[in-house]
Amino acid sequence: MSDIINRPGSDEEWEDLMRQLRHQPVAQPRPFFYARVQARLVANAGAPRQWLPAWLRQPAYAVLLGALVLALSGDGPALTSAAVRYHASPPSGLKPLPPR
């Protein structure tokens, strides 16, 4: 990095480059660009809306969502049994599980 700082004339090179970029002609869109955009907007406005989001219509996302729902839908007794196993006294109304 010290080579860049001590390089003579680097500021002048940047100024020259910026001057060249300022004198570039302004870019223009290709012919009929706005007409094509307007036609696409009109065509999409008449299309019926899907009741499912586009990302959910992909099979991989649907499977992932299903796996997530299954993973998060824990069973209440299974969750409390782990608590019973690691605590000295079980919560009221629960019997401790036998050791494995």
Side-chain angles (χ1 to χ4, degrees):
M1 183 175 296
S2 62
D3 183 38
I4 295 172
I5 295 172
N6 295 331
R7 187 172 163 199
S10 62
D11 288 338
E12 291 84 16
E13 289 176 11
W14 279 109
E15 288 298 324
D16 184 43
L17 179 63
M18 294 303 292
R19 195 175 308 108
Q20 289 175 7
L21 289 175
R22 278 189 216 109
H23 293 308
Q24 291 288 323
V26 177
Q28 296 294 325
R30 293 172 51 189
F32 303 109
F33 172 76
Y34 293 111
R36 289 192 309 261
V37 169
Q38 184 67 28
R40 184 177 291 177
L41 289 173
V42 168
N44 287 343
R49 304 265 310 164
Q50 297 288 334
W51 64 276
L52 278 177
W55 62 269
L56 194 56
R57 288 190 301 254
Q58 302 285 333
Y61 289 120
V63 169
L64 180 66
L65 182 63
L68 182 66
V69 167
L70 285 176
L72 294 178
S73 64
D75 194 14
L79 294 175
T80 56
S81 67
V84 169
R85 189 178 307 140
Y86 294 112
H87 294 295
S89 62
S92 62
L94 292 177
K95 295 186 300 185
L97 292 176
R100 292 186 184 195

